[in-house]
Amino acid sequence: MSLKKASLIIVIILLVDQISKIYIKTHFQLGEDVTVFSWFKIAFVENDGMAWGTKLSDFISFISDETAKLILTLFRIVAVTGIAFWLLDVIRKEKSKILVFAISIIFAGALGNIIDSVFYGVLFDDSIMQVASFLPEEGGYAKLFHGNVVDMLHFPIWSGVVPDRLPLIGGKYFSFFDPVFNVADMAISTGIGILIVFNKKAFGDISKIETPHLESHNNLA
């Protein structure tokens, strides 16, 4: 796959991701949700930490939430820079289309969430008990590099009390699927899933690459 095609994929994902986030941010109050189907809701939440809302300060108690947020954002920038170099390298080496596609959507997803973390605190005011404004006159809700990631996709596929006959969780209330995520998260998860499921097609079968070398060695012996 060429750099042009990979760039097009990245731009499309970024546009869908950012348009959906900006729409939610400027039309929903924080915590507001709309039921589309019984198993799908648009629910506006903001994530100021890592996956599932985990914060770096939860693990490192001696740093403040603000410092932890800055460290996390800077780490994301370093990580996405590394992914960008990886993508350029596999394109230059003409690796498999599956590998280029997977890295492209992972990069697009990571970049999409970085845009939130870096700029949204400056571009929008708070969403608590109000619909946020774009470029508010009084300034945004946070400093540069301290923004929150906007999530809105919620799939409460099933919830209820688990039958008593099931061990450990029997008789308890259970909900699947609770996490709320965004288009960028979907791109990252899909890309990682492709690399796991289609590992051999993406990276090539190492055993087949090494076989000719082994056979020639055996013939010389």
Side-chain angles (χ1 to χ4, degrees):
M1 182 184 294
S2 66
L3 177 59
K4 184 177 180 180
K5 290 181 179 179
S7 299
L8 180 60
I9 292 170
I10 292 169
V11 169
I12 291 172
I13 292 174
L14 278 177
L15 284 175
V16 175
D17 177 63
Q18 288 302 308
I19 289 172
S20 63
K21 288 174 177 176
I22 292 172
Y23 178 84
I24 293 297
K25 187 71 178 170
T26 56
H27 288 79
F28 283 67
Q29 296 181 17
L30 191 63
E32 185 178 354
D33 65 77
V34 173
T35 300
V36 181
F37 302 106
S38 60
W39 48 268
F40 174 52
K41 292 182 178 181
I42 301 296
F44 176 28
V45 301
E46 288 186 320
N47 181 2
D48 62 349
M50 299 180 288
W52 320 120
T54 305
K55 298 180 181 179
L56 187 61
S57 54
D58 293 338
F59 303 95
I60 308 175
S61 57
F62 58 84
I63 63 175
S64 65
D65 287 346
E66 185 174 348
T67 301
K69 177 65 179 177
L70 177 60
I71 292 173
L72 178 60
T73 301
L74 293 176
F75 172 78
R76 282 172 170 167
I77 293 173
V78 172
V80 81
T81 301
I83 297 171
F85 279 111
W86 184 23
L87 176 60
L88 292 174
D89 183 60
V90 297
I91 292 175
R92 180 178 61 82
K93 293 179 178 178
E94 298 182 351
K95 297 293 185 178
S96 68
K97 292 181 179 180
I98 292 178
L99 179 60
V100 176
F101 176 78
I103 300 174
S104 296
I105 63 176
I106 291 172
F107 173 77
L111 184 58
N113 283 337
I114 283 177
I115 292 173
D116 298 29
S117 298
V118 175
F119 299 110
Y120 272 31
V122 177
L123 296 177
F124 300 96
D125 55 9
D126 212 329
S127 297
I128 299 174
M129 303 296 293
Q130 66 175 7
V131 175
S133 300
F134 182 66
L135 295 177
E137 294 182 1
E138 298 181 357
Y141 67 85
K143 297 183 295 185
L144 197 68
F145 294 97
H146 289 79
N148 297 329
V149 176
V150 174
D151 295 323
M152 79 293 291
L153 303 177
H154 185 209
F155 291 86
I157 297 173
W158 183 87
S159 62
V161 178
V162 180
D164 293 331
R165 61 179 178 273
L166 294 178
L168 300 178
I169 60 173
K172 297 180 180 179
Y173 178 84
F174 180 76
S175 178
F176 180 86
F177 175 76
D178 278 339
V180 183
F181 50 96
N182 55 45
V183 174
D185 296 331
M186 290 179 61
I188 294 171
S189 299
T190 302
I192 293 173
I194 289 172
L195 293 181
I196 293 173
V197 175
F198 302 101
N199 184 273
K200 288 186 177 181
K201 289 184 178 180
F203 295 100
D205 192 338
I206 297 176
S207 63
K208 289 183 179 180
I209 296 173
E210 294 179 346
T211 299
H213 171 74
L214 293 174
E215 288 178 352
S216 61
H217 177 77
N218 290 334
N219 291 334
L220 290 174

